[in-house]
Amino acid sequence: MTTASLVVSTYNWKEALALCLRSIAAQRVLPLEVVVADDGSREDTGAMIREMARDFPVPLIHAWQEDAGFRLARARNLGIAASSGDYVIFLDGDLILHPDFVADHLALIRPGIFLQGGRLNATPEESKRLLAGGRPNFSPFMDGTFKRKHALRLPWLAKRKSRTAEGGQMMGCNMGIWRTDLDRVNGFDDDYEGWGREDDDISARLKHAGLTRRPIRFAGLAIHLWHNTRWPDGIPPTEVLPNDRFFNKVLAEKTVRCERGLDAHVARARAAAAA
């Protein structure tokens, strides 16, 4: 039986993270564990996580690193290193999950692929309602900006799409990868600092390793709480970012395994556990 670890990225928005964690606790199929990959949040986030961990239905682990700017790739590697599941699902801490989110991932994943899901972008008004304790509405009539058909949960169609369709917009907010494949490509590349391209990078390296990116459509639903962002649905293909110097090299050389990645964090975690 496949075991799933959830790696949830966060930075200084404990109110949204609390909603995300509550939606995980309410899953019909629970993950093996949840690891919060924290890119340097204040102590109040850690205090909230410790409080929730007391009666959380599965182990809730806090993997924190010092705030030294945007280092999402490294934070995710810390999260992976602290996990132990066969299959790792990556989330952002501003998502509220459908109760069948984990079950949908586990139903669709299979050898030779990794999964890319989407999100339902809530409006500012809907996000305020949800943060105030309102009940999530996973339907095409939800107050948000997204393709309405993507709010439908149709498992039979999701299974077909995951076997025949290609990719989808690359976003690390709802992505699932086998742990063995993460080890194969050495996880995320720690060289990526500052916003952008870390998700495109690992997707490209997984493809170079012979894997196929398959979409999760009509399943794996998640509501994205509104906040200021450069692009709500991923980086436009024509946009030039500082991290493109790394990404373009990966594309040109068809790199599979990054040099500064997961293995160093795994080694440190093992050494700390043995001490």
Side-chain angles (χ1 to χ4, degrees), residues 75-98:
R76 284 183 176 150
N77 279 336
L78 289 175
I80 301 166
S83 72
S84 54
D86 305 318
Y87 177 61
V88 182
I89 303 173
F90 296 95
L91 306 172
D92 285 348
D94 54 9
L95 296 183
I96 300 174
L97 309 185
H98 186 282

Side-chain angles (χ1 to χ4, degrees), residues 184-195:
R184 183 177 180 185
V185 302
N186 205 19
F188 289 83
D189 190 336
D190 284 1
D191 280 340
Y192 284 72
E193 298 184 0
W195 194 90

Side-chain angles (χ1 to χ4, degrees), residues 189 191-192 196-202 204-205 208 235-256:
D189 190 336
D191 280 340
Y192 284 72
R197 296 301 188 207
E198 67 283 335
D199 301 331
D200 296 300
D201 171 271
I202 196 169
R205 288 187 288 111
H208 296 162
I235 305 167
T238 57
E239 188 66 27
V240 177
L241 300 175
N243 281 333
D244 282 345
R245 66 188 188 278
F246 302 124
F247 183 50
N248 290 337
K249 188 171 185 288
V250 163
L251 295 178
E253 298 180 1
K254 298 193 179 301
T255 305
V256 170

Side-chain angles (χ1 to χ4, degrees), residues 27-225:
Q27 291 293 296
R28 294 195 177 97
V29 174
L30 288 168
L32 175 69
E33 65 205 349
V34 177
V35 184
V36 177
D38 191 337
D39 193 15
S41 296
R42 297 180 297 266
E43 169 56 24
D44 59 347
T45 293
M48 184 270 291
I49 294 170
R50 290 191 295 273
E51 177 66 25
M52 292 191 72
R54 292 177 183 175
D55 58 1
F56 208 72
V58 297
L60 178 57
I61 303 161
H62 188 198
W64 181 89
Q65 67 182 4
E66 181 183 1
D67 187 357
F70 189 98
R71 296 188 296 164
L72 177 58
R74 189 179 189 277
R76 284 183 176 150
N77 279 336
L78 289 175
I80 301 166
S83 72
S84 54
D86 305 318
Y87 177 61
V88 182
I89 303 173
F90 296 95
L91 306 172
D92 285 348
D94 54 9
L95 296 183
I96 300 174
L97 309 185
H98 186 282
D100 288 306
F101 180 91
V102 173
D104 287 341
H105 264 266
L106 290 174
L108 298 174
I109 191 60
R110 63 186 191 279
I113 70 169
F114 60 107
L115 290 175
Q116 176 62 65
R119 61 192 185 183
L120 311 175
N121 291 314
T123 62
E125 295 76 18
E126 177 66 1
S127 298
K128 183 178 180 180
R129 186 187 71 82
L130 292 168
L131 287 165
R135 184 176 179 177
N137 176 25
F138 293 92
S139 85
F141 306 105
M142 188 194 96
D143 187 8
T145 55
F146 52 89
K147 291 182 179 179
R148 298 293 159 175
K149 66 179 182 179
H150 290 166
L152 295 172
R153 183 174 179 270
L154 302 170
W156 64 273
L157 185 54
K159 185 175 182 179
R160 179 186 296 177
K161 290 285 186 182
S162 73
R163 292 184 178 275
T164 60
E166 290 289 337
Q169 176 65 50
M170 190 63 208
M171 294 188 293
C173 63
N174 181 357
M175 178 173 63
I177 306 171
W178 291 107
R179 175 58 188 266
T180 53
D181 292 327
L182 287 166
D183 289 333
R184 183 177 180 185
V185 302
N186 205 19
F188 289 83
D189 190 336
D190 284 1
D191 280 340
Y192 284 72
E193 298 184 0
W195 194 90
R197 296 301 188 207
E198 67 283 335
D199 301 331
D200 296 300
D201 171 271
I202 196 169
S203 176
R205 288 187 288 111
L206 287 164
K207 287 182 177 179
H208 296 162
L211 300 169
T212 301
R213 187 172 87 229
R214 296 296 189 189
I216 302 179
R217 290 285 183 264
F218 306 104
L221 304 182
I223 294 172
H224 178 231
L225 296 171

